[in-house]
Amino acid sequence: MRWEDIEKYVSLKVDESLKRVKDSDEYVASASGLKYYPLCVERAEGAKVWDKDGNEYIDFLTSACVYNVGHRHPKVLAAIRDQIEKVLNYTIAYLYEEAPVELAKRLTQITPGNFKKKVTFGFSGSDGVDSAIKAARAYTGRRHIIAFKDSYHGTTYGSLSLTGIVKSEVRGKVFPIPDVHFVEYADPYRNKWGIDGYRDPSALSSKALAEVESKIKELDGEVAGIVLEPMQGDAGVVIPPKEFIVGLRDLADKYNIVLIDEEVQTGMGRTGKWWAIENFEVVPDIIVSAKALGGGMPISATIGKEEIMESVPPPLFVFTHCGHAVNARAALATIEAIEEEGLLERANRLGKRVLDEFSRMKDEFEFIGDIRGVAFLIGIDIVKDRETKEPDRNTALKICWRAWERGLILVTFGKGGNVLRIAPPLIIKEEELDKALDIIKSSMKDVRDGKVSDDVLRFLRGW
C-alpha cells in the first residue's frame, strides 16, 4: 500500500496528516493500534476535532469514550492548572497527597452498594482490571477467573488474558496467564443457541447462565471471580437481558465468587447512569473505571468492598505514580462537571433521539440489521442480509470513510468489525448531533448507491 495513492480517493486535503502517518508507520510498532483513515489530530474542543490540514470534524468516537465531558472541558483544565502550580505528583507509595484521597472518597459515594469500600488507582482500564483480579484471588484464595467470549478488557497480561474478542491464537503469541475460562455472553441478536433474545430474554438468560454455572461446577467451585462488561462495548454494544446480569449476581452469591464489573467504556455517565450496571439494578463487588474518569488525563480506579480490597497485601497495588495528583484533580473536576451540567439526563434524552433517527434510517437502508444502545452507548450493526445476520464489514468501513470525508469521526467495532460506533461526548450540541446524523445518512446513501470505491478498503485497517 502506498499512502500517496490515497489522494485519488479522498476529497479532503490530507498532505500534512500523511507526513505524520508515514512517520508513524516507520517508527511506531504496528501492534499499538487499529488505524482507520489518515487523520492526525492537531487540536480539539468540546465535540470537535481539527487535523493537521485544518479539516474540522464532529467527534463520534470521543477518543474511544474518553471525553464524556468533551475535549478540554474548562473545569478540567482549571483543575489541572491549579494542581501543576503546586506539585505535579509525589508518590503515595511512601507519603500522602490530598487529591487521590478526595477522589477515592467521591468514588465510594457514586458507586452502587451500601457497604464500606476502598479504592486503588492506576493509569488505564487494563491495569484496573489487573487490580481487580489480584483482589478477587487474594480474597478467595482461588485462582480461576471466568470471563466472556467477545469481551474486551485491555492488553496488560492480566486484562489481555481475559479479553475474549482477541483471537486465542493472537493472545497465544505472548503466552497469557493461565486459569482463565471463557463462557458465552447473553447476546440477544447473535448467539450460539439461535434464540431471539429480544423476544425471549428469559430463554436466552437461562441458557447463558446454565453455561456459567456448568463451568463453575467443572472447576469444583474454585472460581475467584467473574469479570463482565454489563454491556459489551467492543463486541458491538451487546446489551444482555436484565435476567442475565441478575442471574450472575445470584451465581456469585451462591458460590462465594467476586463479581467484577468492568465499566471502563460504559461508566461515567455514558449509559445515562454513573455506571451501566445500575441499569440492571445489580450491585457488584468491584467496579473498574478508567477512560472518561480523568476527563482526558490517564487514570484508572478499582473500587471494591473493603474486605476484598484489604485482602491484597502491600505493596501489590503500588505503582510509583498511582493516584497521580494532576490526574486525580482532573477526575474530581470531571465528576463535578457531570453532576453540575446534568449530563446523565442529557445523555438519556439525546441518546433516545439518536436511536429514533436510526430506527427511521433502518426503513431506508437494508444493510442496517440491528440497532442497539442505551443513552450514548450505541451500535449500528451493518449486515449483508437481515435474515442471516451475516456481518458486512466492508460496507461499514466504507460508510466510515465517506463520513470522514464529510467531517465526522466515525469508526467500526464488533465481533465482525461491522458495527458503527456511535459515542459522542455527552456535552455535544444538538445542532452538532443533527449534522452528524445527516452526515451518516448521506454517507449510507453514497455507499448504497455505489459511490464509494472498494479501493478505499486497503487504507482502512480497523477492527
Side-chain angles (χ1 to χ4, degrees), residues 15 51 61 147 175 216 231 289 342 405 427 439 447 453:
D15 297 356
D51 68 16
L61 174 59
F175 306 101
I216 294 170
M231 300 174 188
S289 178
E405 289 186 288
I427 53 85
I439 288 172
V447 173
S453 171

Side-chain angles (χ1 to χ4, degrees), residues 45-46 51 62 69 89 206 217 308 316 323 329 419 429 434 436:
E45 192 82 26
D51 68 16
T62 319
V69 297
N89 188 58
S206 178
K217 290 178 178 178
I308 297 175
L316 300 188
R329 285 292 174 203
V419 180
K429 297 175 183 177
D434 290 340

Side-chain angles (χ1 to χ4, degrees), residues 9-57:
Y9 304 102
V10 64
S11 57
L12 296 172
K13 185 178 183 297
V14 294
D15 297 356
E16 292 302 315
S17 283
L18 279 179
K19 291 177 185 177
R20 281 70 184 184
V21 169
K22 291 172 184 175
D23 283 348
S24 178
D25 282 354
E26 183 171 358
Y27 298 111
V28 179
S30 59
S32 300
L34 297 162
K35 299 299 202 307
Y36 283 80
Y37 20 76
L39 191 169
C40 182
V41 176
E42 174 71 4
R43 63 187 179 94
E45 192 82 26
K48 288 189 174 180
V49 170
W50 290 262
D51 68 16
K52 296 292 291 186
D53 294 278
N55 299 307
E56 179 183 291
Y57 307 91

Side-chain angles (χ1 to χ4, degrees), residues 64-336:
C65 294
V66 167
Y67 293 99
N68 286 10
V69 297
H71 296 277
R72 303 183 71 251
H73 191 286
K75 185 177 285 289
V76 174
L77 294 182
I80 292 169
R81 291 189 189 106
D82 180 66
Q83 183 62 45
I84 63 176
E85 288 299 321
K86 300 173 183 176
V87 61
L88 292 177
N89 188 58
Y90 201 97
T91 180
I92 61 173
Y94 300 112
L95 301 178
Y96 299 86
E97 279 201 315
E98 184 177 50
V101 176
E102 287 186 17
L103 178 58
K105 183 177 180 180
R106 286 296 290 123
L107 287 169
T108 65
Q109 293 167 347
I110 65 172
T111 46
N114 294 319
F115 42 74
K116 179 72 173 168
K117 303 166 196 164
K118 287 201 172 180
V119 182
T120 189
F121 296 108
F123 307 95
S124 72
S126 297
D127 64 44
V129 170
D130 285 3
S131 292
I133 297 170
K134 292 176 188 176
R137 285 177 161 174
Y139 179 68
T140 63
R142 307 170 192 161
R143 296 178 302 170
H144 297 289
I145 302 289
I146 290 178
F148 291 93
K149 296 175 182 178
D150 303 308
S151 61
Y152 184 84
H153 296 296
T155 57
T156 55
Y157 258 99
S159 61
L160 177 62
S161 302
L162 271 63
T163 292
I165 203 167
V166 175
K167 294 178 180 178
S168 57
E169 58 267 30
V170 175
R171 282 186 288 114
K173 291 283 186 182
V174 295
F175 306 101
I177 64 172
D179 304 315
V180 175
H181 311 270
F182 291 97
V183 294
E184 195 82 4
Y185 195 78
D187 181 346
Y189 188 61
R190 290 187 185 90
N191 57 75
K192 69 179 184 180
W193 304 288
I195 298 171
D196 184 336
Y198 298 126
R199 293 183 179 178
D200 197 348
S202 295
L204 175 62
S205 298
S206 178
K207 286 285 189 182
L209 289 168
E211 183 167 312
V212 176
E213 186 162 27
S214 176
K215 180 59 68 174
I216 294 170
K217 290 178 178 178
E218 177 187 322
L219 297 168
D220 295 323
E222 290 298 306
V223 177
I226 297 173
V227 182
L228 77 146
E229 299 162 273
M231 300 174 188
Q232 284 192 327
D234 286 10
V237 186
V238 177
I239 303 172
K242 181 177 180 178
E243 296 100 308
F244 176 66
I245 302 298
V246 171
L248 288 177
R249 176 71 272 178
D250 291 342
L251 286 175
D253 290 338
K254 180 179 178 179
Y255 292 97
N256 298 312
I257 295 169
V258 177
L259 187 64
I260 300 168
D261 174 24
E262 198 264 73
E263 296 263 4
V264 174
Q265 183 169 170
T266 57
M268 299 300 291
R270 180 139 298 274
T271 69
K273 295 184 182 293
W274 279 112
W275 314 102
I277 203 162
E278 293 178 280
N279 290 280
F280 303 95
E281 300 179 306
V282 165
V283 176
D285 299 308
I286 294 175
I287 287 181
V288 181
S289 178
K291 285 190 183 288
L293 174 61
M297 300 300 285
I299 187 168
S300 68
T302 305
I303 311 105
K305 287 183 174 180
E306 180 181 41
E307 60 269 29
I308 297 175
M309 300 300 286
E310 286 295 278
S311 68
V312 178
L316 300 188
F317 279 152
V318 167
F319 299 108
T320 300
H321 286 295
C322 69
H324 193 285
V326 176
N327 301 349
R329 285 292 174 203
L332 284 162
T334 298
I335 292 170
E336 288 180 12

Side-chain angles (χ1 to χ4, degrees), residues 351-400:
K352 182 180 184 304
R353 183 163 153 184
V354 173
L355 289 167
D356 289 345
E357 182 58 30
F358 276 112
S359 293
R360 287 188 284 271
M361 288 187 207
K362 189 175 182 181
D363 294 333
E364 185 174 351
F365 301 105
E366 285 294 321
F367 49 61
I368 297 180
D370 195 27
I371 299 165
R372 304 184 286 270
V374 177
F376 268 159
L377 182 75
I378 297 171
I380 310 302
D381 203 305
I382 305 300
V383 298
K384 294 180 179 180
D385 182 276
R386 285 184 181 173
E387 291 299 316
T388 66
K389 304 177 185 178
E390 182 181 355
D392 192 345
R393 180 175 182 268
N394 288 351
T395 292
L397 285 171
K398 289 197 289 185
I399 292 167
C400 292

Side-chain angles (χ1 to χ4, degrees), residues 330-351:
L332 284 162
T334 298
I335 292 170
E336 288 180 12
I338 292 171
E339 290 177 327
E340 293 173 3
E341 297 174 25
L343 295 185
L344 303 183
E345 182 279 328
R346 196 171 194 278
N348 277 314
R349 177 169 54 84
L350 294 184

